[in-house]
Structures are given as structure tokens and as C-alpha cells.
Amino acid sequence: MASASHLFSPSSMGMSGSGRCWGRRRNRLIGLRCSMLEEHSAVGSSSSPKPRFPRVVGKGSKLIGCGSAVPKLSISNDDLAEIVETSDEWISVRTGIRKRRILSGDETLTDLAAEAARKALDMAKVEALDVDLILMCTSTPDDLFGTGPQVQRELGCKHALAFDITAACSGFVLGLVTATRYIKGGGFQNVLVIGADALSRYVDWSDRGTCILFGDAAGAMLVQASQEDEDGLLGFDLRTDGQGHRHLHATVKADSSKQNGAAFVPPKPSSYSCIQMNGKEVFRFAVRCVPEVIEAALSDAGLSSADLNWLLLHQANQRIIDAVATRLQIQTGRVLSNLSNYGNTSAASIPLALDEAIRGGQVQQGDVIATAGFGAGLTWGAAIVKWG
Ligand code: COA
């Protein structure tokens, strides 16, 4: 298992140079490539090969805007009881979930992500052209090569670098921490972190052990460079254990075409299996590891659970949320949850719940929130953040 609370130093990420590219030598190379591109095509051309930002090291990162979006189609537990042998009572007692949203018709994940991001930009009063980086945290992209660039296009964030982060239900926490590292070490000013997933695409709708859990959604957060004393990321801890992969995965299907030695047999196009999960093992992992990683992040921040205004966990199962809150001695009134309405929306669940709590007036400016993601990989992590 690797712990990474301090692994993202500017030098370890190759960000010792200036500007929004990564390092002086790389800047020169990228600048050269950009100008070559400009000669050949308007698509992908940048207005200047020079970095837009001076290098600034040691800045803080403020969380100043949030937004979320969910698909139109709502599926209740009773709806699911029509297709698999289950009941509203079983699902709500074992998980706390009552309904979930599912992408349908011509809705895309890109649309959801862009809608959530637009709301975050509006709240932050940041123009699309002033966004420098878009981190699209998703494991279910619209395009195998990444959905971030499509979101960039939809938003008109022409100056932003955009790419995907794949870390399942931990994606948003990893994205948030990554955003702050780019700000601290890379001189980036405005970073959009989007958590968006459509696990409905990989659910086996005949498997009652998994299909009851998941839903689709997007949530976004605008993270902006600030003075050091206004820093909104107070502490964090991130972990991975690939040994646990077997408990939760959706793996690429092996190519069945056989090479016979004489002529090359072209492989068949790939696809992924549906979500495979050992629910009991994942439950045990979450209840054991999530309190540990939150305690490590609190220690990194020099805080204790008594200093928290809110606990906001990845929304997977209400029993997991309650067990972690009990272990950390955090009362129910300080625990954020909207799981009953949306189910487990993977990388979207934390920003979706946070957006609702902020817009609903629960979370106030200056509130300190312990947030933690956990899931496939296995990957898990916690961040202690201050809103506003
Ligand atoms: N409706 C009715 N019965 C169901 C059912 C459903 N949807 N799913 C399973 N069952 C049945 C099982 O077949 C089993 O029956 P049996 O006793 O006759 O064999 C019984 O209910 C108990 O199943 P079990 O799997 O032991 O239930 P559980 O209490 O562990 O709850 C989960 C199952 C999936 C809700 C729970 O393990 C869980 O939430 N785990 C974490 C999953 C998670 O969060 N994954 C994502 C992480 S990011």
C-alpha cells in the first residue's frame, strides 16, 4: 500500500519550471510543437507559444464555486423490483438508497459535466476563458481517449488544458488534491475539478447485488489560487492497494481471436465486463480504511474530528457513512448525505452532495469539511477542506 500525503511536491510532478506547461525545458518543447501545429491547422492551435502565467510557488487554493447536474430519468426501488427480485424495503434498509438518476435518450456525460461546471463558474464569477485547467474525474468517459477535451470545447474554455483522471469513486478527491498541486507548483490560477460518472453503462441490470446501488451524475468545483493564509486544502492523505482490485472492477474483456502462427489474425474490438463486486469485502474495506485515512488527513491538517463542521463521505451506502461517523465520533447532524435520492454516483457523489449542501445553506462560508472517497482500485483518500 502506498500513502501519498506529501508525494505531490512540485518537483516530483515535474513542475519545477514556469507557466501552465510543466517545466522550462518542456515549455520550450511544447511551445515549439504548438507553433508547428499553428502552421498546419487552426484546430488545436494556441494563441501564443509563451506560457500565460509566471511561476508562483507556495500559493494557497480556495474553493469558490460549485455546481452539479443529474439526468432527467429517475428510477425508484419499486421500478427496479419490476426487473429483478428485490424490494424497496430491502434496498432502503441495506443501503439507504430510494432512487437514482440514469442517463437516457441523447443525454451524455459531457453534457452533465459541462452543466455542472457552468454552474460552478457562475458561482465563482470566473469567465470560461480564464480557466487554465480542467480535471475531468471519471471512469466512464464518453470517449476512450478522454472526455475532458470535449467538456473544454462545450464550455468554451479555450485556454484550458483538459484531461481525465480515472480513479473510480475516489476520483474527485484525487482531482481536488491534484488541482491544488498544479496551483501551488505550476502557477495555474483557475482549475475546474469535475467528478462525473455514468456507471449505469457498466451495470448488469439482471444482477440485484449491484444494479440497485448505482446512478449517474456530475458535480464540479472551481479551485482558485489564493494567498497562503486563505488556503482551502488543510490536509490530505491518499492511498492505493491494487491487491484489492478483485473485489470491485470492470475489466477489459480478453481478445478471443487466436493467432495461428501463419497469418496475423486482427484482434476484435475490445469492451469491458459489467461491474463485478464482492459487496461484503468492499463494505469491510470501507468501514476499516476510511476512518484511518480521515484521521491521517486530520493529522496532516493539525486538526481533530471535533474541529470539523461536516463529514462528507463518498455516497455509497448509508450504513458505511453511519459506521465511519460513529468511529470518528461525529454526530449525525454533522454528516452530509443525499444518497437516498441519487444512489452511488461514483466520482460525482461528493461534489453533488457538497453542491446541494452549499446551495441549501447547510454548509456556510469558512466551514471545515472532512471529505473522503473510496472504491475500485482499490483507491481511497481524504481531504480536509474549507469552503469559500
Ligand atoms: N434484494 C433482495 N435481496 C438481495 C439483494 C437485493 N437487491 N441483493 C442481495 N440479496 C440477498 C442475497 O442473495 C442474500 O440472500 P441469501 O442470504 O439467501 O444468500 C442476502 O440478500 C444477503 O446478501 P448480502 O450480499 O450478504 O447482503 P449485504 O448485507 O452484504 O448487502 C450490499 C449487500 C451490496 C448492499 C452491501 O454488501 C454493500 O453495500 N456493500 C458495499 C458495496 C459498495 O458500496 N460498493 C461501491 C463502493 S464504491
Side-chain angles (χ1 to χ4, degrees):
M1 182 209 303
S3 169
S5 82
H6 297 289
L7 289 183
F8 291 100
S9 68
S11 56
S12 73
M13 294 187 73
M15 293 198 296
S16 55
S18 66
R20 65 192 169 106
C21 300
W22 314 266
R24 286 182 201 283
R25 262 183 44 231
R26 282 199 58 120
N27 275 346
R28 280 203 294 274
L29 286 172
I30 289 167
L32 189 64
R33 281 196 207 116
C34 286
S35 53
M36 285 163 71
L37 268 176
E38 276 170 59
E39 277 174 30
H40 293 290
S41 163
V43 176
S45 65
S46 105
S47 54
S48 162
K50 289 194 192 128
R52 274 201 317 142
F53 301 109
R55 179 177 175 227
V56 184
V57 176
K59 272 192 172 183
S61 309
K62 284 210 296 191
L63 280 50
I64 59 165
C66 59
S68 60
V70 293
K72 287 194 256 340
L73 181 63
S74 179
I75 302 290
S76 69
N77 291 345
D78 286 336
D79 294 330
L80 288 181
E82 301 278 324
I83 59 169
V84 287
E85 204 181 324
T86 190
S87 64
D88 176 45
E89 193 197 351
W90 195 97
I91 301 171
S92 46
V93 168
R94 302 267 179 149
T95 71
I97 300 166
R98 293 195 173 274
K99 50 192 175 176
R100 69 286 291 145
R101 300 294 184 103
I102 304 292
L103 281 180
S104 65
D106 56 7
E107 287 174 323
T108 66
L109 194 68
T110 305
D111 294 338
L112 281 191
E115 188 185 335
R118 256 183 231 109
K119 290 176 184 166
L121 289 176
D122 278 355
M123 186 187 280
K125 299 189 173 53
V126 168
E127 297 295 328
L129 289 177
D130 291 327
V131 175
D132 312 307
L133 174 63
I134 298 172
L135 299 173
M136 174 71 178
C137 308
T138 184
S139 302
T140 52
D142 284 341
D143 188 311
L144 183 65
F145 299 137
T147 295
Q150 293 167 67
V151 175
Q152 184 237 34
R153 179 200 61 209
E154 287 299 304
L155 294 172
C157 295
K158 287 203 286 190
H159 304 296
L161 168 68
F163 60 89
D164 288 15
I165 292 179
T166 306
C169 305
S170 306
F172 184 77
V173 172
L174 264 69
L176 199 58
V177 172
T178 304
T180 65
R181 302 304 95 178
Y182 272 86
I183 288 170
K184 276 184 197 291
F188 288 64
Q189 301 286 310
N190 291 307
V191 182
L192 259 176
V193 186
I194 303 169
D197 263 312
L199 287 184
S200 66
R201 291 168 170 170
Y202 296 97
V203 159
D204 175 353
W205 289 100
S206 66
D207 173 13
R208 66 179 183 173
T210 53
C211 77
I212 55 157
L213 297 175
F214 301 105
D216 306 336
M221 181 69 65
L222 195 283
V223 185
Q224 187 172 65
S226 70
Q227 296 303 316
E228 193 128 34
D229 58 1
E230 296 175 316
D231 198 2
L233 180 68
L234 309 179
F236 68 91
D237 198 67
L238 309 173
R239 302 181 186 197
T240 296
D241 181 5
Q243 297 286 352
H245 169 259
R246 65 188 185 282
H247 298 313
L248 182 55
H249 60 94
T251 313
V252 73
K253 287 186 182 157
D255 175 33
S256 55
S257 40
K258 295 266 182 292
Q259 304 294 334
N260 61 15
F264 168 60
V265 182
K268 299 206 172 66
S270 280
S271 62
Y272 289 88
S273 72
C274 288
I275 296 169
Q276 312 287 310
M277 186 183 75
N278 180 337
K280 279 197 185 312
E281 281 298 333
V282 174
F283 194 99
R284 278 195 212 108
F285 144 72
V287 169
R288 187 180 70 249
C289 293
V290 173
E292 274 173 21
V293 83
I294 292 175
E295 274 164 357
L298 279 167
S299 158
D300 189 39
L303 299 174
S304 76
S305 61
D307 299 311
L308 296 171
N309 297 100
W310 301 103
L311 176 69
L312 171 51
L313 301 188
H314 164 51
Q315 306 283 292
N317 183 317
Q318 193 59 45
R319 289 189 294 141
I320 294 176
I321 296 173
D322 294 343
V324 174
T326 303
R327 280 275 295 278
L328 295 170
Q329 298 183 309
I330 296 175
Q331 290 152 3
T332 313
R334 291 196 286 139
V335 179
L336 297 171
S337 174
N338 65 356
L339 175 74
S340 62
N341 290 331
Y342 303 109
N344 177 344
T345 58
S346 190
S349 85
I350 290 172
L352 172 62
L354 188 54
D355 182 48
E356 288 197 350
I358 288 168
R359 288 175 193 268
Q362 269 179 295
V363 171
Q364 304 276 325
Q365 195 91 355
D367 278 1
V368 176
I369 307 151
T371 183
F374 56 91
L378 301 170
T379 293
W380 65 108
I384 312 300
V385 298
K386 191 169 64 178
W387 166 244

